[in-house]
């Protein structure tokens, strides 16, 4: 089985325009709140880097790395924290930055975990969402695009760690060779 890039579903220009829109909304909503943007490694790095540079308000960045127990396709919903935040988030306005919400299990766990640390607020900003794959309901205040239930890569999203550096998002198709 080999893989190859298929149809581009989000072009670089579309992504850039949407990131600018989201940044404008976040800048308005968080004026005077100095949000702490929490990037969930690794996929969201690219989105966060572009988003934060469009913000017109002061903000801080922090990073978390998590891994789910079990295989990616059969997630148990139990998430292990591989790298925790540097910052104490008590009283802070936290905005979790994700590249994609699939089953929703990662975010559901993360949000619960961060809420237990007594922040002023916890919201989610995800570039992509695949609602058809949802296992748990997750309120996401800022969403870039809804994508169909296909394997997508690029702009941070990988297949075996490859394709993250693409400036666009495309479907990965499998071919029997
Ligand atoms: C992806 C994505 C989310 C999670 C979403 O990360 O960045 O964190 O999966 O899936 P869920 O909604 O089903 O929980 P991944 O584990 O692929 O790690 P990566 O960002 O390092 O590629």
């Amino acid at each position: 089985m080999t893989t190859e890039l298929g149809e581009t579903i989000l072009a670089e220009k579309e992504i850039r325009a949407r990131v600018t829109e989201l940044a404008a909304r976040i800048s308005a909503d968080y004026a005077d709140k100095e949000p702490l943007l929490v990037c969930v490694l690794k996929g969201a790095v690219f989105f966060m880097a572009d988003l934060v540079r469009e913000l017109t308000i002061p903000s801080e960045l922090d990073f978390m790395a998590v891994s789910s127990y079990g295989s990616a396709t059969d997630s148990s919903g139990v998430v292990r924290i591989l790298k925790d935040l540097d910052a104490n988030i008590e009283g802070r306005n936290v905005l979790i930055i994700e590249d994609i919400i699939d089953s929703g299990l990662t975010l559901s766990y993360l949000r619960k975990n961060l809420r237990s640390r007594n922040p002023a607020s916890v919201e989610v900003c995800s570039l992509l969402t695949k609602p058809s794959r949802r296992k748990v309901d997750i309120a996401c205040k800022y969403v870039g695009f809804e994508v169909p239930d296909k394997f997508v890569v690029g702009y941070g999203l990988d297949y075996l760690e490859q394709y993250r550096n693409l400036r666009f998002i495309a479907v990965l198709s499998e071919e029997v060779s």
Side-chain angles (χ1 to χ4, degrees):
M1 203 83 99
T2 57
T3 55
E4 65 169 29
L5 275 187
E7 184 199 353
T8 294
I9 57 166
L10 293 166
E12 181 182 357
K13 251 176 133 176
E14 282 176 89
I15 298 171
R16 200 181 307 137
R18 190 69 180 132
V19 169
T20 302
E21 280 173 17
L22 289 172
R25 276 181 54 202
I26 292 167
S27 297
D29 293 350
Y30 286 88
D32 305 318
K33 288 187 175 168
E34 195 152 344
L36 179 72
L37 273 51
V38 171
C39 174
V40 185
L41 295 169
K42 306 171 193 171
V45 164
F46 301 79
F47 177 40
M48 177 151 108
D50 285 345
L51 185 73
V52 73
R53 283 179 288 184
E54 297 291 332
L55 293 183
T56 55
I57 55 163
S59 64
E60 282 181 35
L61 310 182
D62 209 335
F63 297 85
M64 280 185 93
V66 298
S67 99
S68 48
Y69 289 108
S71 73
T73 47
D74 184 25
S75 186
S76 58
V78 181
V79 173
R80 189 159 52 113
I81 295 178
L82 303 176
K83 186 226 170 288
D84 207 342
L85 296 175
D86 292 334
N88 175 353
I89 61 168
E90 195 172 342
R92 300 293 306 268
N93 290 288
V94 174
L95 185 56
I96 303 173
I97 310 294
E98 263 291 17
D99 51 352
I100 189 162
I101 309 175
D102 202 333
S103 67
L105 292 167
T106 305
L107 263 180
S108 167
Y109 172 86
L110 258 187
R111 213 162 46 171
K112 233 176 271 166
N113 182 291
L114 295 184
R115 278 199 176 134
S116 72
R117 307 181 195 192
N118 299 320
S121 65
V122 181
E123 296 290 351
V124 177
C125 174
S126 182
L127 180 67
L128 306 180
T129 181
K130 260 188 201 171
S132 54
R133 300 258 306 171
R134 209 66 98 243
K135 285 186 182 163
V136 287
D137 228 12
I138 187 99
C140 183
K141 190 164 182 186
Y142 307 96
V143 179
F145 305 92
E146 265 190 34
V147 289
D149 187 12
K150 292 183 175 169
F151 199 95
V152 292
V153 294
Y155 200 75
L157 297 150
D158 74 307
Y159 172 68
L160 300 178
E161 296 300 324
Q162 298 305 304
Y163 304 110
R164 292 193 197 274
N165 60 331
L166 298 178
R167 294 175 187 271
F168 54 90
I169 294 174
V171 173
L172 193 72
S173 51
E174 280 187 336
E175 286 202 332
V176 181
S177 55

